[in-house]
Amino acid sequence: MSHIVIDEDRCKGCALCTTACPKDLVHMADHFNAKGYRPAAYIDPDGQCIGCAFCAMMCPDTAIVVYRSVKK
């Protein structure tokens, strides 16, 4: 299953990734990181991520890593 990992310590809360996700799986967190920013949070309880990497391409802080599933 494809998914992303957001490095909260690198995220500055610009929210560009939230607009890029076609499945609306990235939202802003309710908490703050160590630098005082509200980081992005990946919320995908149903496994809808398609691994498109649009969120990672939009991230100016390179805080998102995309893991794509391999179809057999």
Side-chain angles (χ1 to χ4, degrees), residues 1 4 6 11-13 16-17 19 21 24-25 29 35 37 42 44-48 54 57 61 65-66 68 72:
M1 171 180 357
I4 67 170
I6 301 170
C11 180
K12 292 186 184 138
L16 291 173
C17 56
T19 61
C21 182
D24 195 33
L25 302 175
K35 296 178 183 173
Y37 298 111
Y42 173 63
D44 188 12
D46 300 325
Q48 296 180 35
F54 291 156
M57 287 186 272
D61 300 312
V65 177
V66 180
R68 293 183 178 149
K72 295 179 182 183

Side-chain angles (χ1 to χ4, degrees), residues 21-37:
C21 182
K23 299 288 187 173
D24 195 33
L25 302 175
V26 184
H27 300 274
M28 300 313 291
D30 294 333
H31 60 276
F32 295 94
N33 65 14
K35 296 178 183 173
Y37 298 111

Side-chain angles (χ1 to χ4, degrees), residues 55-67:
C55 57
M57 287 186 272
M58 289 297 292
C59 183
D61 300 312
T62 60
I64 301 173
V65 177
V66 180
Y67 295 93

